[in-house]
Amino acid sequence: MEQNKGILRNLLEAILPAELFVSVQGEKQYAFEKRFSLRYGEPLIRLRILDQALKAKYDFPFSDISTPISEFKQLNLKAHRFFITENLMSFLNLPALENSFALFGSGYAIQTLKSVKWLAYCPIFYWGDLDTDGFKILSQLRSYLPQTISIMMNVKTFETFKEFAVTVTESTAENLLYLTPEEQALYLYLSLHNKRLEQERISQDYGYKYVHDLCITIPD
């Protein structure tokens, strides 16, 4: 079937009632499967529960869960805080936080969250690497979740741990539309000097204090 999707699509559209078809205009990946409501390898969303009270409230059997995006969209966890991290180790080491979940963004794969409509009603926090890609992902996320607040993606954090920054391949700065003035200035600096400070280089004590202070400053 995978090698004959073009022929099969023509045949199915000729013999099946039109009301059975799903519109896939603009879709590229798995367009055939979506068109005819077939199962396909959906992206997985990895979720950590940072508040044990929420684990009990929603009767989650585990604290670290991976689920297909179609099922994640049905959870409807409105009004809870979501901390999204670019890197796996940062995701795994986020501390216990009241009324909060963690999501593993996995770099540019974060675009999968665009289809989760109820996230628009949640406080969103994003923690990415201090490099050009980290800020590009932040800007992309804000384009569909404009309430997103960045964490530890500022000049103070970079200056505190700049001894751990490394030189990377030269990159060209792009016009990112969804950064704050401070984020934009740091993004341009990192691009100009080809610098990267990875999340893993920031100490746990600094990260824990930053996140806890943020939760106090910005309530639910």
Side-chain angles (χ1 to χ4, degrees):
M1 189 179 78
E2 292 178 350
Q3 298 176 9
N4 296 280
K5 290 180 180 178
I7 295 173
L8 288 171
R9 177 167 181 155
N10 291 335
L11 288 171
L12 292 172
E13 289 181 345
I15 64 176
L16 293 177
E19 59 267 21
L20 295 181
F21 306 148
V22 177
S23 175
V24 291
Q25 187 174 3
E27 296 275 359
K28 295 182 179 179
Q29 193 172 24
Y30 300 114
F32 175 83
E33 289 82 356
K34 294 176 183 178
R35 177 70 165 162
F36 301 106
S37 300
L38 301 174
R39 293 185 66 86
Y40 59 93
E42 291 185 66
L44 295 177
I45 300 297
R46 188 165 178 180
L47 175 76
R48 268 191 70 214
I49 304 165
L50 302 180
D51 183 350
Q52 290 302 304
L54 294 180
K55 185 173 183 290
K57 176 180 179 180
Y58 291 103
D59 196 26
F60 285 118
F62 309 107
S63 295
D64 191 335
I65 303 166
S66 292
T67 184
I69 181 64
S70 61
E71 294 184 1
F72 183 72
K73 289 193 289 188
Q74 296 175 28
L75 289 178
N76 196 12
L77 303 173
K78 286 183 180 179
H80 301 304
R81 291 186 295 221
F82 281 82
F83 290 83
I84 305 172
T85 69
E86 181 180 346
N87 297 339
L88 179 59
M89 289 309 297
S90 302
F91 166 81
L92 293 174
N93 285 285
L94 280 171
L97 294 167
E98 185 179 353
N99 195 36
S100 300
F101 294 91
L103 289 174
F104 177 37
S106 188
Y108 287 99
I110 203 170
Q111 64 182 334
T112 305
L113 299 177
K114 184 177 182 180
S115 63
V116 185
K117 303 303 182 184
W118 53 260
L119 280 175
Y121 302 94
C122 301
I124 304 292
F125 302 90
Y126 180 71
W127 183 16
D129 287 331
L130 283 167
D131 63 2
T132 54
D133 282 323
F135 283 104
K136 288 176 183 177
I137 297 168
L138 171 62
S139 182
Q140 176 183 321
L141 180 61
R142 278 214 189 107
S143 70
Y144 38 86
L145 292 172
Q147 77 273 29
T148 300
I149 297 173
S150 66
I151 57 177
M152 287 176 279
M153 299 182 71
N154 51 37
V155 173
K156 179 182 177 181
T157 300
F158 182 80
E159 289 296 323
T160 301
F161 298 96
K162 65 181 179 181
E163 63 181 296
F164 301 114
V166 298
T167 301
V168 296
T169 305
E170 184 176 352
S171 60
T172 302
E174 300 177 11
N175 182 27
L176 303 182
L177 301 177
Y178 301 97
L179 299 183
T180 67
E182 181 184 10
E183 292 164 352
Q184 182 72 29
L186 183 55
Y187 165 68
L188 293 175
Y189 172 86
L190 295 171
S191 177
L192 178 64
H193 296 279
N194 302 315
K195 292 295 183 181
R196 171 189 293 160
L197 176 64
E198 294 182 312
Q199 294 174 321
E200 293 90 336
R201 296 294 188 175
I202 298 172
S203 72
Q204 253 185 10
D205 288 343
Y206 182 95
Y208 285 2
K209 185 178 186 307
Y210 188 104
V211 171
H212 279 295
D213 289 349
L214 183 70
C215 290
I216 294 172
T217 305
I218 305 175
D220 298 336

